[in-house]
Amino acid sequence: MNRVPDKTRLGVITRDGSRCARCARGIANIPASVHHRKPRAMGGTRDPRINDPRNLVVLCGTGTTGCHGWVESHRADALYAGWLIRSFDDLDAPCIREDGTMIYLTGLFGRVDVPESVGFVLGPRAAGALPIGDEQ
Protein backbone atom coordinates (compact mmCIF):
# COMPACT_ATOMS: atom_id res chain seq x y z
CA MET A 1 0.00 0.00 0.00
CA ASN A 2 1.22 3.56 -0.66
CA ARG A 3 -0.09 5.63 2.20
CA VAL A 4 0.30 9.36 1.57
CA PRO A 5 2.92 10.66 4.04
CA ASP A 6 1.39 12.94 6.68
CA LYS A 7 3.49 15.95 5.60
CA THR A 8 2.35 15.52 1.98
CA ARG A 9 -1.29 15.00 3.02
CA LEU A 10 -1.23 18.21 5.09
CA GLY A 11 0.44 20.11 2.22
CA VAL A 12 -2.26 18.97 -0.25
CA ILE A 13 -5.09 19.87 2.14
CA THR A 14 -3.51 23.29 2.74
CA ARG A 15 -2.94 23.84 -1.01
CA ASP A 16 -6.60 23.03 -1.71
CA GLY A 17 -7.76 25.38 1.07
CA SER A 18 -9.38 22.59 3.15
CA ARG A 19 -11.98 22.35 0.38
CA CYS A 20 -12.92 19.77 -2.19
CA ALA A 21 -10.90 20.60 -5.31
CA ARG A 22 -13.83 19.62 -7.56
CA CYS A 23 -16.84 21.36 -5.96
CA ALA A 24 -15.16 23.72 -3.43
CA ARG A 25 -17.18 22.36 -0.51
CA GLY A 26 -15.43 22.81 2.84
CA ILE A 27 -14.23 19.49 4.27
CA ALA A 28 -13.97 20.42 7.97
CA ASN A 29 -16.98 18.37 9.12
CA ILE A 30 -17.60 15.95 6.26
CA PRO A 31 -15.87 12.82 4.97
CA ALA A 32 -13.09 13.67 2.52
CA SER A 33 -10.17 11.92 0.86
CA VAL A 34 -6.80 12.76 -0.62
CA HIS A 35 -7.32 11.25 -4.06
CA HIS A 36 -4.61 9.86 -6.36
CA ARG A 37 -5.24 11.13 -9.91
CA LYS A 38 -3.09 8.28 -11.27
CA PRO A 39 -4.62 5.37 -9.40
CA ARG A 40 -2.45 3.14 -7.27
CA ALA A 41 -2.13 -0.39 -8.54
CA MET A 42 -3.61 -3.20 -6.48
CA GLY A 43 -1.09 -3.71 -3.71
CA GLY A 44 0.54 -0.32 -4.35
CA THR A 45 3.45 0.76 -6.48
CA ARG A 46 7.16 1.41 -6.05
CA ASP A 47 7.04 4.54 -8.21
CA PRO A 48 7.71 7.53 -5.91
CA ARG A 49 5.60 9.79 -8.14
CA ILE A 50 2.47 8.17 -6.72
CA ASN A 51 2.61 10.69 -3.85
CA ASP A 52 3.77 13.67 -5.95
CA PRO A 53 1.52 16.58 -4.85
CA ARG A 54 0.47 17.08 -8.51
CA ASN A 55 -0.98 13.56 -8.39
CA LEU A 56 -3.04 14.32 -5.27
CA VAL A 57 -6.21 16.36 -4.76
CA VAL A 58 -8.68 16.73 -1.92
CA LEU A 59 -12.13 15.39 -2.80
CA CYS A 60 -15.22 15.39 -0.60
CA GLY A 61 -16.70 12.01 0.22
CA THR A 62 -15.31 8.52 0.19
CA GLY A 63 -14.64 6.23 -2.75
CA THR A 64 -18.43 5.76 -3.05
CA THR A 65 -19.87 9.14 -1.98
CA GLY A 66 -19.41 12.82 -2.82
CA CYS A 67 -16.99 13.95 -5.50
CA HIS A 68 -14.63 11.06 -4.76
CA GLY A 69 -17.49 8.66 -5.42
CA TRP A 70 -18.35 10.54 -8.62
CA VAL A 71 -14.77 10.21 -9.89
CA GLU A 72 -14.74 6.47 -9.17
CA SER A 73 -18.13 5.83 -10.80
CA HIS A 74 -17.77 8.18 -13.81
CA ARG A 75 -14.25 7.29 -14.87
CA ALA A 76 -14.48 8.44 -18.51
CA ASP A 77 -15.74 11.88 -17.49
CA ALA A 78 -13.16 12.01 -14.69
CA LEU A 79 -10.37 11.25 -17.20
CA TYR A 80 -11.66 13.98 -19.51
CA ALA A 81 -11.73 16.47 -16.63
CA GLY A 82 -8.30 15.51 -15.26
CA TRP A 83 -9.45 14.01 -11.96
CA LEU A 84 -7.96 10.76 -13.24
CA ILE A 85 -4.85 10.50 -15.40
CA ARG A 86 -3.47 7.51 -17.29
CA SER A 87 0.23 8.24 -16.87
CA PHE A 88 2.59 10.16 -14.64
CA ASP A 89 3.49 12.03 -17.86
CA ASP A 90 0.09 13.72 -17.44
CA LEU A 91 0.78 15.21 -13.98
CA ASP A 92 0.74 18.72 -15.45
CA ALA A 93 -2.70 18.24 -17.05
CA PRO A 94 -5.30 20.52 -15.43
CA CYS A 95 -8.37 19.41 -13.52
CA ILE A 96 -11.67 20.97 -14.60
CA ARG A 97 -13.92 21.93 -11.70
CA GLU A 98 -17.68 21.62 -11.92
CA ASP A 99 -17.90 25.40 -12.50
CA GLY A 100 -15.49 25.21 -15.46
CA THR A 101 -12.46 26.57 -13.58
CA MET A 102 -9.24 24.86 -14.64
CA ILE A 103 -6.89 23.93 -11.81
CA TYR A 104 -3.20 23.59 -12.61
CA LEU A 105 -1.21 21.81 -9.91
CA THR A 106 2.34 23.13 -9.99
CA GLY A 107 5.63 22.40 -8.28
CA LEU A 108 5.64 21.52 -4.62
CA PHE A 109 2.09 22.27 -3.41
CA GLY A 110 1.49 25.03 -5.98
CA ARG A 111 -1.89 25.64 -7.55
CA VAL A 112 -3.20 28.08 -10.15
CA ASP A 113 -6.95 28.39 -10.75
CA VAL A 114 -7.93 29.76 -14.17
CA PRO A 115 -11.62 30.69 -14.50
CA GLU A 116 -13.47 29.46 -17.57
CA SER A 117 -14.25 33.11 -18.40
CA VAL A 118 -10.58 33.65 -19.31
CA GLY A 119 -11.45 32.17 -22.68
CA PHE A 120 -10.82 28.43 -22.59
CA VAL A 121 -13.09 26.29 -24.69
CA LEU A 122 -13.76 23.24 -22.57
CA GLY A 123 -16.10 21.23 -24.76
CA PRO A 124 -19.45 19.58 -24.07
CA ARG A 125 -18.46 17.94 -20.78
CA ALA A 126 -17.38 21.17 -19.10
CA ALA A 127 -19.36 23.28 -16.64
CA GLY A 128 -22.83 21.97 -16.01
CA ALA A 129 -22.21 18.58 -17.61
CA LEU A 130 -20.11 17.18 -14.74
CA PRO A 131 -22.50 16.55 -11.86
CA ILE A 132 -21.44 17.25 -8.29
CA GLY A 133 -21.33 14.39 -5.82
CA ASP A 134 -23.71 11.50 -6.24
CA GLU A 135 -26.03 13.19 -8.71
CA GLN A 136 -26.84 11.37 -11.96
Side-chain angles (χ1 to χ4, degrees):
M1 199 85 156
N2 296 96
R3 180 170 158 34
V4 177
D6 291 340
K7 183 176 178 181
T8 303
R9 179 179 300 279
L10 180 59
V12 169
I13 292 169
T14 301
R15 177 200 67 205
D16 290 345
S18 296
R19 297 188 163 282
C20 175
R22 184 169 176 267
C23 73
R25 184 176 180 192
I27 62 164
N29 297 309
I30 63 170
S33 310
V34 173
H35 166 71
H36 289 87
R37 297 171 65 205
K38 166 113 175 52
R40 296 172 291 178
M42 300 251 325
T45 179
R46 293 178 189 259
D47 193 316
R49 296 175 294 178
I50 196 70
N51 290 323
D52 181 308
R54 295 170 300 159
N55 190 44
L56 303 169
V57 291
V58 174
L59 293 178
C60 65
T62 66
T64 59
T65 64
C67 287
H68 198 171
W70 181 88
V71 166
E72 297 301 333
S73 62
H74 297 87
R75 294 181 80 76
D77 288 336
L79 276 164
Y80 175 86
W83 301 109
L84 291 173
I85 57 176
R86 294 185 193 280
S87 163
F88 287 118
D89 293 336
D90 298 329
L91 284 174
D92 293 323
C95 299
I96 303 172
R97 287 187 35 178
E98 57 88 25
D99 66 0
T101 299
M102 297 181 84
I103 299 172
Y104 290 87
L105 305 174
T106 61
L108 189 60
F109 305 113
R111 175 177 159 163
V112 176
D113 291 21
V114 179
E116 181 183 22
S117 61
V118 171
F120 290 96
V121 177
L122 301 177
R125 294 181 184 237
L130 298 175
I132 298 173
D134 293 328
E135 298 171 5
Q136 195 181 42

